[in-house]
Amino acid sequence: LKLLYARIGKTYSPKSGKLVKKHSVTDVVNHILSFPDEARLILLTRLRPEQGDMVAILAGLEKQGFLRVKMENEIVRIDEIPEAERKRLTPEKILIVVDRVVVTRNEDALARFGDSVQTAFELGGGDCYVLDAAKPGSTPEHCSDRDEADGKRFEDPNVDMFSFNSPVGACPVCEGYGSTIGIDENLVIPNKGLSVYQDAVVCWKGEKMQRWKEKLIFAADKYNFPVHKPYGELTEEQRKMLWEGTKGFKGIDDFFAYLEEKKYKIQYRVMLSRYRGRTTCPACKGSRLKPETSWVKVGGKSMQELVLIPVDELHAFIVKMKLSQHEKEIAGRILVEIDSRLGYLLDVGLGYLTMNRVSSTLSGGESQRINLATSLGSSLVGSMYILDEPSIGLHTRDTARLITVLKKLRDIGNTVIVVEHDEEIIRAADHIIDIGPLAGRLGGQIMYNGKLSGLGKNKESLTAQYLSGEMSIPVPSRRRKWNSFLALKGVRENNLKGVDTRIPLHVLTVVTGVSGSGKSSLINDVLYPAIMKRLNGFSERVGLHDSLNGDVDTIASVEMVDQNPIGRSSRSNPVTYIKAYDEIRKLFADQPSAGHFGLTASHFSFNIDGGRCEECLGEGTIHVEMQFMADVQLVCESCHGKRFKDEVLEITYQGLNIYDILELTVEDAIEFFSRTKGTTQRRIVDKLQTLAMVGLGYLKLGQSSSTLSGGESQRVKLASFLGKESSHGHTLFIFDEPTTGLHFHDIHKLLESINALVDHGHSAVMIEHNMEVIKCADWIIDLGPEGGKNGGKIVFEGTPEDLISNKNSYTGQYLASKL
């Protein structure tokens, strides 16, 4: 798009709307030839406003052969201008006559016209004027070889001018970020459901500040401002009136300008800080580009307009755009590339996104598909594409679109290799390589290699058993009933359309819907921070909503089980996160040999000084910075990667030292610690058992958390909750797509774990697309019907059995076969 605007963009004057055209010598000659034959024309140019004596300047012009000038409405000879009048003249008052021509169309005349126009441009610094000699009093037509119009000089369009990452194109106010620190509308008017009369403008509350509201109310009738209309229902013009004010009353902007004037007083500084936040840049309106770029248009639209419309509308605009033959020749290849890239975004179901959407606001599925569209947009042939779980975050409807794109890639001559657990993608494959039979040390074998039709014959493959139906995740025999709930009203965060919903407690609730329909906005951006604020009195920003009611007081705590890493340190690992390592260290400290050397439990920790290797600080590796090359990780020469000092490694339990224990897998460790009886051993086994329950028996105890996938990190968190005592009261667990990266068998285990939490009196809310999970829900909240601006509504609330009869729900259509 930047290239398109730089190549064929036309600049229009913001003052008159006229096209800003740079004239070449050929353009001016063609203009001369537009007059009738034998027409007499005068070519003029302007004197450059240089310093000097006007008498000397005119004398110099005579020496160069320029004999006439235009003064006011007449042409006069220079030698006829009196001395006294020459002294009074200024460069702005005269035009130099470069040539007087008669319009003819022979070659000699054309050559003369060209030479004269070139001379006029050079002498006048880019200006040339054409005057009809028959109308000496008329205004001569101005031609310029610069981008000029309405007395203003314009920038020549270039690629950097349309880039917010370049100082040439970035908005000077927000520096290309699209937002600035200013007065945040959401802080000033937190409840959009209230009117001005009902104190929607919270900074106008109180005895002293209320006079601002009162002045507005008294003058509102005169300016037709609806003081009883909720702020969320005001038109753009009415909102502008409230913020910018009128002659009769001052607006919110005037109020904060008043506070700025008074900020030498501490109470006004405190008040200003209360309403400051990230706001849309007032100069570029969030487009990130400097205002001058909006004057350049292609097909009648500026770049700022195009980045604000959805991809599907942008694609339609590009396809239907009418260009001249010359423009088509220049921009033909560029338009093919734009069409291809937008086409891929449409193919993967992202037609509702706008081009300037901030990437941090995208859902996991949207980010995944944008990465995919980026890779596919190159349209290579004879290439190998390797995709690692491209279905992450995708609704089944979007997965079907993804399969279409992958097949298209295959059909044009590429090899596509997909690492995947999704049933639909497995069934769509031409060739399957199944690895197993289980995970970790119990896996690593090729179970099957061939076409889908032959997979069912393999009786040892778990994948084959689930695909054939021999093994399955059972539909619950009954749905749990509920009578307590959380009630959210007027949720308007991101694309949500002021929805009201009830979230049942003490049951498994699944929030579903196509990608981009508003699931994360509802649960992660509104429900979770709103409950945290009620429980703790503070939280991160709470999304826009009217109220949270219901049985909030029955909740003792809320836990967000997301896919963020479980620890920032490279020494963090699963066994420390679930607190099993504390017991293991205690067990080693209790060994007789440890007492002999004076070693305590802290000596078996690689996080504190004492027993850890001081060379690598318990990491086992040394990080070497290579300056101009990628950094290198080397095995520590002091401990040889074993992380502890020699005297600590000499202490053994059942023949294994602390390093050997950390190298065991979870399943091996459970077997190892179960061999001997004891309170400490039992506690270790109980804690490790939670990792096995969530399908992580293959992880090593000391495996660095930085090597865990998002799905594994999420299940380690779940295991830590399962290992806690249930005496903490009623906990609300929120899971954000916990089936990411899970096989059917692992999903089966995960559901058993989550159901165990619910059976212990807790509540679970899950954002999920997986049909195996959705069919096991007690209650479903389905959002949609589409993504983006066409989503954000509650399509359905109820049980899975009722959902399949809802014709407006995509989820219901795909769920029917599972029930």
Side-chain angles (χ1 to χ4, degrees):
L1 281 171
K2 290 189 291 183
L3 203 57
L4 181 72
Y5 273 77
R7 294 286 183 271
I8 64 169
K10 292 179 179 177
T11 307
Y12 292 85
S13 168
K15 189 175 178 182
S16 63
K18 285 182 184 175
L19 176 65
V20 178
K21 186 164 171 59
K22 181 160 77 170
H23 299 99
S24 64
V25 172
T26 306
D27 291 332
V28 182
V29 171
N30 288 337
H31 178 60
I32 291 169
L33 294 176
S34 68
F35 285 85
D37 288 351
E38 303 302 320
R40 294 179 177 276
L41 305 176
I42 302 172
L43 300 180
L44 308 127
T45 192
R46 189 176 292 284
L47 268 178
R48 295 183 187 181
E50 46 197 304
Q51 298 294 319
D53 182 12
M54 199 66 194
V55 176
I57 292 172
L58 290 174
L61 286 172
E62 283 188 284
K63 283 180 184 176
Q64 292 176 55
F66 298 103
L67 305 177
R68 293 174 177 78
V69 293
K70 181 178 183 291
M71 294 172 57
E72 294 180 354
N73 292 329
E74 57 178 337
I75 307 293
V76 297
R77 287 180 64 88
I78 295 175
D79 57 12
E80 291 176 0
I81 303 173
E83 188 80 17
E85 193 171 345
R86 289 189 186 202
K87 289 179 180 177
R88 290 197 303 272
L89 284 175
T90 59
E92 297 83 38
K93 290 185 178 179
I94 65 171
L95 290 171
I96 306 161
V97 176
V98 176
D99 201 358
R100 295 182 296 168
V101 299
V102 177
V103 178
T104 51
R105 299 173 197 282
N106 58 57
E107 285 188 21
D108 291 339
L110 292 175
R112 177 178 172 176
F113 297 160
D115 289 343
S116 298
V117 171
Q118 185 68 45
T119 303
F121 277 150
E122 289 173 3
L123 185 65
D127 290 313
C128 175
Y129 296 84
V130 180
L131 177 66
D132 189 343
K135 304 170 186 173
S138 62
T139 304
E141 292 186 57
H142 177 228
C143 302
S144 171
D145 67 355
R146 305 182 303 269
D147 286 312
E148 279 186 341
D150 298 327
K152 183 177 176 64
R153 192 164 182 176
F154 294 85
E155 196 177 340
D156 203 16
N158 60 75
V159 174
D160 288 337
M161 184 177 169
F162 301 98
S163 171
F164 49 76
N165 285 320
S166 163
V168 177
C171 168
V173 176
C174 64
E175 298 181 341
Y177 287 100
S179 61
T180 56
I181 296 294
I183 302 305
D184 189 341
E185 180 188 8
N186 294 325
L187 295 175
V188 176
I189 307 171
N191 189 345
K192 307 292 191 291
L194 298 179
S195 66
V196 172
Y197 189 81
Q198 295 170 311
D199 286 327
V201 185
V202 292
C203 55
W204 285 353
K205 284 182 177 181
E207 199 174 322
K208 193 173 180 183
M209 299 305 175
Q210 201 156 5
R211 59 191 173 88
W212 291 80
K213 181 184 103 173
E214 289 168 356
K215 283 183 181 177
L216 187 154
I217 290 170
F218 290 138
D221 190 47
K222 186 178 176 184
Y223 294 92
N224 202 24
F225 181 83
V227 293
H228 295 290
K229 194 175 185 180
Y231 180 82
E233 296 175 20
L234 295 179
T235 64
E236 197 61 42
E237 193 178 329
Q238 289 165 344
R239 288 190 188 194
K240 189 177 178 183
M241 197 186 297
L242 173 61
W243 280 85
E244 298 179 5
T246 65
K247 289 180 182 177
F249 62 84
K250 290 185 175 179
I252 299 171
D253 289 341
D254 298 310
F255 171 76
F256 284 105
Y258 165 77
L259 294 188
E260 284 284 350
E261 289 173 14
K262 299 280 185 182
K263 69 178 181 184
Y264 58 85
K265 294 182 179 179
I266 190 165
Q267 65 265 36
Y268 291 115
R269 290 204 299 276
V270 170
M271 196 166 188
L272 275 169
S273 66
R274 195 178 297 160
Y275 298 107
R276 282 196 191 282
R278 277 268 163 202
T279 68
T280 302
C281 173
C284 67
K285 307 296 184 212
S287 70
R288 306 182 178 202
L289 298 170
K290 62 184 182 182
E292 289 88 336
T293 56
S294 66
W295 305 336
V296 183
K297 299 187 177 180
V298 172
K301 287 190 181 288
S302 67
M303 176 80 98
Q304 278 92 329
E305 291 175 274
L306 291 191
V307 298
L308 292 173
I309 61 176
V311 167
D312 51 5
E313 291 179 28
L314 176 58
H315 185 256
F317 170 77
I318 294 292
V319 170
K320 294 175 184 174
M321 190 164 56
K322 291 180 180 176
L323 300 175
S324 66
Q325 190 57 40
H326 179 61
E327 288 171 332
K328 284 178 182 174
E329 288 172 9
I330 296 171
R333 181 65 194 162
I334 301 170
L335 288 169
V336 168
E337 292 297 328
I338 293 173
D339 180 49
S340 167
R341 283 159 168 73
L342 293 177
Y344 271 113
L345 284 175
L346 289 173
D347 287 345
V348 295
L350 294 177
Y352 58 86
L353 293 182
T354 57
M355 286 281 105
N356 73 335
R357 175 84 172 262
V358 182
S359 57
S360 60
T361 66
L362 297 171
S363 69
E366 288 166 340
S367 300
Q368 180 86 342
R369 283 181 287 163
I370 284 175
N371 287 334
L372 186 62
T374 305
S375 303
L376 306 185
S378 55
S379 297
L380 296 175
V381 174
S383 299
M384 179 184 287
Y385 287 88
I386 300 178
L387 306 175
D388 189 7
E389 303 204 44
S391 71
I392 288 174
L394 294 195
H395 188 272
T396 310
R397 186 207 56 178
D398 301 313
T399 305
R401 282 175 165 169
L402 174 65
I403 291 168
T404 304
V405 172
L406 297 180
K407 285 184 174 178
K408 196 184 293 183
L409 266 182
R410 172 202 66 187
D411 293 342
I412 60 173
N414 295 302
T415 301
V416 184
I417 299 175
V418 186
V419 180
E420 191 53 86
H421 297 106
D422 184 84
E423 183 178 348
E424 301 303 317
I425 295 181
I426 294 172
R427 292 189 183 281
D430 299 313
H431 193 94
I432 291 173
I433 299 173
D434 186 44
I435 301 178
L438 297 173
R441 68 187 177 92
L442 301 176
Q445 299 175 44
I446 301 294
M447 305 301 295
Y448 178 76
N449 190 339
K451 294 188 180 299
L452 176 68
S453 55
L455 178 61
K457 298 170 187 172
N458 190 319
K459 298 301 178 189
E460 294 181 10
S461 165
L462 284 172
T463 307
Q465 290 178 53
Y466 275 96
L467 287 177
S468 66
E470 283 181 41
M471 291 182 75
S472 65
I473 297 170
V475 177
S477 57
R478 65 179 184 85
R479 307 289 177 190
R480 297 181 184 94
K481 302 295 180 187
W482 52 274
N483 52 22
S484 59
F485 58 87
L486 302 174
L488 275 173
K489 292 202 170 182
V491 185
R492 302 176 302 282
E493 183 68 3
N494 295 330
N495 67 331
L496 292 167
K497 309 284 194 300
V499 300
D500 300 339
T501 187
R502 293 189 302 171
I503 293 133
L505 297 176
H506 306 293
V507 298
L508 172 58
T509 303
V510 173
V511 181
T512 186
V514 297
S515 301
S517 58
K519 302 181 295 297
S520 297
S521 298
L522 179 69
I523 303 301
N524 298 350
D525 298 343
V526 178
L527 179 67
Y528 175 65
I531 297 176
M532 287 291 283
K533 194 166 188 177
R534 287 282 284 273
L535 294 178
N536 305 324
F538 64 90
S539 81
E540 58 196 58
R541 177 185 172 271
V542 182
L544 298 175
H545 72 291
D546 292 341
S547 64
L548 169 65
N549 298 309
D551 301 296
V552 188
D553 297 335
T554 65
I555 297 173
S557 62
V558 58
E559 299 286 357
M560 170 65 79
V561 189
D562 56 22
Q563 295 181 11
N564 293 332
I566 59 173
R568 292 187 177 91
S569 166
S570 57
R571 291 189 293 271
S572 169
N573 54 43
V575 76
T576 55
Y577 193 84
I578 63 167
K579 307 296 184 189
Y581 195 50
D582 296 345
E583 302 294 340
I584 293 171
R585 290 192 292 121
K586 187 180 173 186
L587 186 65
F588 271 85
D590 288 342
Q591 299 307 303
S593 53
H596 178 72
F597 286 110
L599 299 179
T600 63
S602 63
H603 285 89
F604 296 91
S605 169
F606 38 72
N607 283 319
I608 53 177
D609 296 341
R612 71 179 182 181
C613 169
E614 292 306 322
E615 183 78 22
C616 63
L617 301 178
E619 300 247 7
T621 57
I622 302 289
H623 183 80
V624 183
E625 292 185 5
M626 299 294 286
Q627 291 187 324
F628 301 111
M629 293 185 289
D631 294 349
V632 174
Q633 294 279 357
L634 298 176
V635 175
C636 174
E637 292 182 0
S638 179
C639 67
H640 305 292
K642 295 193 174 181
R643 308 168 87 171
F644 293 94
K645 292 177 181 175
D646 289 341
E647 58 264 32
V648 173
L649 293 171
E650 286 177 15
I651 310 301
T652 61
Y653 170 75
Q654 299 288 320
L656 299 183
N657 62 27
I658 190 70
Y659 171 74
D660 298 328
I661 295 291
L662 290 171
E663 286 294 294
L664 293 175
T665 64
V666 171
E667 288 174 345
D668 288 340
I670 291 171
E671 188 183 317
F672 175 77
F673 287 111
S674 298
R675 290 175 192 163
T676 51
K677 292 182 179 180
T679 307
T680 306
Q681 289 90 330
R682 192 178 69 251
R683 282 202 291 260
I684 293 171
V685 170
D686 287 347
K687 288 182 182 295
L688 294 178
Q689 201 72 50
T690 60
L691 285 172
M693 282 170 64
V694 294
L696 294 178
Y698 59 89
L699 290 183
K700 283 186 179 181
L701 297 192
Q703 187 170 334
S704 172
S705 61
S706 61
T707 65
L708 301 179
S709 69
E712 287 170 335
S713 295
Q714 197 170 30
R715 283 182 286 158
V716 171
K717 290 177 190 176
L718 175 58
S720 77
F721 296 131
L722 290 170
K724 289 177 184 175
E725 296 297 324
S726 58
S727 58
H728 297 301
H730 175 207
T731 302
L732 172 64
F733 290 93
I734 297 175
F735 298 91
D736 190 1
E737 303 206 38
T739 62
T740 298
L742 296 197
H743 187 271
F744 305 102
H745 200 58
D746 297 319
I747 293 172
H748 198 160
K749 287 182 179 178
L750 178 75
L751 282 169
E752 287 177 353
S753 303
I754 293 174
N755 279 318
L757 285 174
V758 176
D759 291 339
H760 277 96
H762 301 297
S763 301
V765 176
M766 195 185 298
I767 299 172
E768 192 51 81
H769 295 113
N770 190 291
M771 292 297 156
E772 299 292 343
V773 173
I774 295 169
K775 76 179 185 184
C776 295
D778 298 308
W779 192 257
I780 291 175
I781 300 171
D782 191 37
L783 291 168
E786 300 288 341
K789 68 174 186 178
N790 296 323
K793 296 175 183 173
I794 302 286
V795 176
F796 171 83
E797 292 178 278
T799 63
E801 283 75 18
D802 293 332
L803 175 59
I804 59 175
S805 59
N806 188 308
K807 295 197 166 32
N808 297 323
S809 168
Y810 286 111
T811 308
Q813 293 171 28
Y814 289 98
L815 183 63
S817 62
K818 299 292 178 185
L819 295 176

